[in-house]
Coordinates of all heavy atoms in Angstrom, one line a residue:
Y1 N 147.1 139.9 140.4 CA 146.4 138.8 140.0 C 146.3 137.7 141.1 O 145.4 136.8 141.1 CB 146.9 138.1 138.8 CG 146.7 138.9 137.5 CD1 147.4 138.6 136.3 CD2 145.8 140.0 137.4 CE1 147.1 139.3 135.1 CE2 145.6 140.6 136.3 CZ 146.2 140.3 135.1 OH 145.9 141.0 133.9
I2 N 147.3 137.7 142.0 CA 147.4 136.7 143.1 C 147.7 137.4 144.4 O 148.3 138.5 144.4 CB 148.5 135.5 142.8 CG1 149.9 136.1 142.9 CG2 148.0 134.8 141.6 CD1 151.0 135.1 142.8
T3 N 147.3 136.8 145.5 CA 147.7 137.1 146.9 C 148.6 136.0 147.4 O 148.4 134.9 147.2 CB 146.5 137.2 147.7 OG1 145.7 138.2 147.2 CG2 146.8 137.6 149.1
I4 N 149.7 136.3 148.0 CA 150.6 135.4 148.6 C 150.7 135.5 150.1 O 150.6 136.7 150.6 CB 152.1 135.7 148.0 CG1 152.2 135.6 146.5 CG2 153.1 134.7 148.7 CD1 153.4 135.9 145.9
E5 N 150.6 134.4 150.7 CA 150.5 134.3 152.2 C 151.7 133.5 152.7 O 152.0 132.5 152.1 CB 149.1 133.7 152.7 CG 148.8 134.1 154.0 CD 147.5 133.6 154.4 OE1 147.3 132.4 154.5 OE2 146.5 134.4 154.5
R6 N 152.3 133.8 153.8 CA 153.5 133.1 154.3 C 153.2 132.8 155.8 O 153.9 133.2 156.5 CB 154.8 133.9 154.1 CG 155.0 134.1 152.6 CD 156.3 135.1 152.4 NE 156.6 135.3 151.0 CZ 156.0 136.1 150.2 NH1 154.9 136.8 150.6 NH2 156.4 136.2 149.0
P7 N 152.3 131.9 156.0 CA 152.1 131.5 157.3 C 153.1 130.5 157.9 O 153.9 129.9 157.1 CB 150.7 130.7 157.3 CG 150.6 130.1 156.0 CD 151.4 131.1 155.1
V8 N 153.3 130.5 159.2 CA 154.2 129.6 159.8 C 153.4 128.5 160.5 O 152.7 128.9 161.4 CB 155.1 130.3 160.9 CG1 156.1 129.4 161.7 CG2 156.0 131.5 160.2
T9 N 153.6 127.3 160.2 CA 152.9 126.2 160.8 C 154.0 125.2 161.2 O 154.9 124.8 160.5 CB 151.9 125.6 159.8 OG1 152.6 125.1 158.7 CG2 150.8 126.5 159.5
D10 N 153.9 124.7 162.5 CA 154.8 123.7 163.0 C 156.2 124.2 162.8 O 157.1 123.2 162.3 CB 154.6 122.3 162.2 CG 153.2 121.7 162.4 OD1 152.7 122.0 163.6 OD2 152.7 121.1 161.6
R11 N 156.4 125.4 163.1 CA 157.7 125.9 163.0 C 158.4 126.1 161.7 O 159.6 126.2 161.4 CB 158.7 125.3 163.9 CG 158.3 125.5 165.5 CD 159.3 124.8 166.3 NE 158.8 124.9 167.7 CZ 159.5 124.7 168.7 NH1 160.9 124.3 168.6 NH2 158.9 124.7 170.0
R12 N 157.5 125.9 160.6 CA 158.0 125.9 159.2 C 157.2 127.0 158.5 O 156.0 127.1 158.6 CB 157.7 124.6 158.5 CG 158.9 123.8 158.3 CD 158.4 122.5 157.7 NE 158.7 122.7 156.2 CZ 158.5 121.7 155.2 NH1 158.1 120.5 155.6 NH2 158.7 122.0 154.1
R13 N 157.8 127.7 157.7 CA 157.2 128.7 156.9 C 156.7 128.2 155.6 O 157.5 127.4 154.9 CB 158.2 129.9 156.6 CG 157.5 130.9 155.7 CD 158.2 132.2 155.5 NE 158.6 132.9 156.8 CZ 157.8 133.7 157.4 NH1 156.5 133.9 157.1 NH2 158.1 134.2 158.6
R14 N 155.5 128.4 155.4 CA 154.9 127.9 154.2 C 154.6 129.0 153.3 O 154.4 130.2 153.7 CB 153.7 127.1 154.4 CG 153.8 125.9 155.3 CD 152.5 125.2 155.7 NE 151.7 124.9 154.4 CZ 150.3 124.7 154.6 NH1 149.8 124.9 155.7 NH2 149.6 124.6 153.5
V15 N 154.4 128.8 151.9 CA 154.0 129.8 151.0 C 152.8 129.3 150.3 O 152.9 128.1 149.9 CB 155.1 130.2 150.0 CG1 154.7 131.2 149.0 CG2 156.4 130.7 150.8
R16 N 151.8 130.1 150.3 CA 150.5 129.7 149.6 C 149.9 130.8 148.9 O 150.2 131.9 149.2 CB 149.6 129.0 150.5 CG 149.0 129.8 151.6 CD 148.3 128.9 152.6 NE 147.4 130.0 153.4 CZ 146.3 129.5 154.0 NH1 146.0 128.3 154.0 NH2 145.7 130.4 154.8
V17 N 149.4 130.5 147.8 CA 148.7 131.6 147.0 C 147.3 131.4 146.6 O 146.8 130.2 146.7 CB 149.7 131.7 145.6 CG1 151.0 132.0 146.0 CG2 149.5 130.5 144.7
R18 N 146.7 132.4 146.2 CA 145.2 132.4 145.7 C 145.1 133.4 144.6 O 145.7 134.5 144.6 CB 144.3 132.3 146.7 CG 144.0 133.7 147.3 CD 142.9 133.6 148.4 NE 142.7 135.0 148.9 CZ 141.8 135.4 149.7 NH1 140.9 134.6 149.9 NH2 141.8 136.6 150.2
L19 N 144.1 133.1 143.7 CA 143.8 134.1 142.7 C 142.9 135.3 143.4 O 142.0 135.0 144.2 CB 142.9 133.5 141.6 CG 143.7 132.6 140.5 CD1 142.7 132.1 139.6 CD2 144.6 133.6 139.8
T20 N 143.2 136.5 143.0 CA 142.3 137.6 143.4 C 141.2 137.6 142.5 O 141.1 136.9 141.5 CB 143.1 138.9 143.3 OG1 143.5 139.1 142.0 CG2 144.3 138.9 144.3
T21 N 140.2 138.5 142.8 CA 139.0 138.6 141.7 C 139.5 139.1 140.5 O 139.1 138.6 139.4 CB 138.1 139.7 142.4 OG1 137.6 139.1 143.8 CG2 136.7 139.8 141.6
T22 N 140.5 140.0 140.6 CA 141.0 140.6 139.3 C 141.7 139.3 138.5 O 141.6 139.2 137.3 CB 142.0 141.7 139.5 OG1 141.4 142.7 140.2 CG2 142.7 142.2 138.1
G23 N 142.6 138.5 139.3 CA 143.2 137.4 138.6 C 142.2 136.5 138.0 O 142.5 135.8 136.9
R24 N 141.2 136.2 138.8 CA 140.1 135.2 138.2 C 139.5 135.6 137.0 O 139.4 135.0 136.1 CB 139.1 134.9 139.4 CG 138.2 133.8 139.0 CD 137.5 133.3 140.2 NE 138.3 132.9 141.5 CZ 138.9 131.8 141.5 NH1 138.8 130.8 140.8 NH2 139.5 131.6 142.7
K25 N 139.2 137.0 136.9 CA 138.5 137.6 135.7 C 139.6 137.5 134.5 O 139.1 137.2 133.5 CB 138.1 139.0 136.1 CG 136.9 139.2 136.8 CD 136.6 140.5 137.1 CE 135.4 140.7 138.0 NZ 135.1 142.1 138.4
A26 N 140.8 137.9 134.8 CA 141.9 137.7 133.8 C 142.0 136.3 133.2 O 142.1 136.1 132.0 CB 143.1 138.4 134.3
F27 N 142.0 135.3 134.1 CA 142.1 133.9 133.6 C 141.0 133.5 132.9 O 141.2 133.0 131.8 CB 142.2 133.1 135.0 CG 142.2 131.6 134.7 CD1 143.4 131.0 134.2 CD2 141.0 130.9 134.8 CE1 143.3 129.6 133.8 CE2 141.0 129.5 134.5 CZ 142.2 128.9 134.0
H28 N 139.7 133.9 133.3 CA 138.6 133.5 132.5 C 138.7 134.2 131.1 O 138.3 133.6 130.1 CB 137.3 133.8 133.2 CG 137.1 132.8 134.4 ND1 137.0 131.6 134.2 CD2 137.0 133.0 135.7 CE1 136.7 130.9 135.3 NE2 136.8 131.8 136.3
G29 N 139.2 135.4 131.1 CA 139.2 136.1 129.8 C 140.2 135.6 128.9 O 139.9 135.4 127.6
H30 N 141.4 135.0 129.4 CA 142.3 134.4 128.6 C 141.9 133.1 128.0 O 142.0 132.7 126.9 CB 143.6 134.2 129.4 CG 144.4 135.3 129.7 ND1 144.9 136.2 128.8 CD2 144.8 135.8 130.8 CE1 145.4 137.1 129.3 NE2 145.5 137.0 130.7
V31 N 141.1 132.3 128.9 CA 140.4 131.1 128.5 C 139.5 131.3 127.3 O 139.5 130.6 126.3 CB 139.9 130.3 129.7 CG1 139.0 129.1 129.2 CG2 141.0 129.8 130.6
A32 N 138.6 132.3 127.5 CA 137.6 132.6 126.5 C 138.4 133.0 125.2 O 137.9 132.6 124.1 CB 136.9 133.9 126.9
A33 N 139.4 133.8 125.2 CA 140.1 134.2 124.0 C 140.7 132.9 123.4 O 140.7 132.9 122.1 CB 141.2 135.2 124.3
L34 N 141.3 132.1 124.1 CA 141.9 130.8 123.6 C 140.8 130.0 123.0 O 141.0 129.4 121.8 CB 142.7 130.1 124.6 CG 143.9 130.6 125.0 CD1 144.4 129.9 126.3 CD2 144.9 130.6 123.9
R35 N 139.6 130.0 123.6 CA 138.5 129.1 123.0 C 138.1 129.7 121.6 O 137.7 129.0 120.7 CB 137.3 129.0 123.9 CG 137.6 128.1 125.1 CD 136.4 127.9 126.0 NE 136.8 127.0 127.0 CZ 136.3 127.0 128.3 NH1 135.4 128.0 128.6 NH2 136.6 126.1 129.0
E36 N 138.0 131.0 121.5 CA 137.7 131.7 120.2 C 138.7 131.4 119.1 O 138.4 131.1 118.0 CB 137.6 133.1 120.4 CG 136.3 133.6 121.2 CD 136.3 135.1 121.3 OE1 136.7 135.8 120.3 OE2 135.7 135.7 122.2

């Protein structure tokens, strides 16, 4: 559902995430079910 990236910027490791296509579809499916 998500991709995790751990880039190093200014000598600091950061963690950032994003939804995958599968994750985005699952999220929209959950929202639709809750609306129903």
